[in-house]
Amino acid sequence: AHVDGLTGVANRRRFDEALVLETRRCLHANMPISLLLVDIDHFKNYNDHFGHGMGDIALTRVATTLSQKLARAADLVARYGGEEFAVILPETDHEGATSIAEKLRESVAALNIPHAPGSGASSVSISVGVATQDPGQAMHPSELVEAADRRLYEAKATGRNRVVA
């Protein structure tokens, strides 16, 4: 009930539950928590060109790469929706989260999954928005999501295949 059937990472329900628990826990422990929102760039073009079967394979490869590149058991990768993923990074400050986001971006690029012609890139890439709740800063989990989403939008609007923190 908590795993996305296609990608094998946590599903949206598990993400929502974990974000509430981890933001509270980090607030009480006076620790930061960071959230990454990840979008596969121009994924509609990929699906339109290669088909949904190949799109499913690409989604799974990206999800697996995101999961494998996280070092701590408390970190959580979840399918947020469609071609979007969310990464919860408890006890991770803004600088650490930005570094992890860049490592994830580079790891997906290193997969060298060929992209559709006309997508603006030769291989599949991701854009990442980073937001952090600093120690002692009480944010509702939805505020953290909104902050990461604004940065993701900025990453996409300024050329994609980048991290905005």
Side-chain angles (χ1 to χ4, degrees):
H2 287 110
V3 176
D4 179 66
L6 174 64
T7 62
V9 298
N11 62 17
R12 177 65 182 267
R13 179 179 178 184
R14 173 72 182 112
F15 165 78
D16 290 339
E17 293 170 356
L19 186 60
V20 169
L21 292 173
E22 290 295 343
T23 52
R24 284 184 193 154
R25 187 184 66 75
C26 287
L27 179 64
H28 292 331
N30 203 36
M31 298 294 293
I33 181 171
S34 293
L35 176 66
L36 313 179
L37 286 184
V38 178
D39 185 70
I40 300 176
D41 296 326
H42 300 291
F43 196 67
K44 182 182 181 322
N45 293 2
Y46 186 94
N47 269 340
D48 289 348
H49 182 77
F50 293 108
H52 290 282
M54 290 299 292
D56 288 351
I57 291 169
L59 276 173
T60 301
R61 289 185 67 195
V62 169
T64 299
T65 298
L66 296 176
S67 293
Q68 289 176 344
K69 296 301 174 183
L70 296 177
R72 302 173 310 168
D75 297 339
L76 179 76
V77 175
R79 187 164 179 202
Y80 192 70
E83 71 276 3
E84 290 186 326
F85 297 92
V87 182
I88 301 173
L89 301 170
E91 300 180 17
T92 306
D93 64 14
H94 196 68
E95 183 178 311
T98 303
S99 176
I100 291 167
E102 184 59 32
K103 180 175 80 171
L104 296 177
R105 189 198 63 75
E106 291 170 357
S107 296
V108 169
L111 292 173
N112 287 316
I113 301 169
H115 213 316
S119 66
S122 60
S123 62
V124 169
S125 61
I126 59 173
S127 296
V128 185
V130 180
T132 301
Q133 174 182 287
D134 291 320
Q137 176 189 19
M139 294 175 77
H140 190 275
S142 65
E143 292 176 291
L144 193 58
V145 171
E146 289 169 12
D149 192 50
R150 283 192 302 274
R151 289 171 182 96
L152 173 60
Y153 179 81
E154 184 179 339
K156 291 163 62 173
T158 56
R160 300 179 194 259
N161 191 23
R162 66 192 65 225
V163 172
V164 173

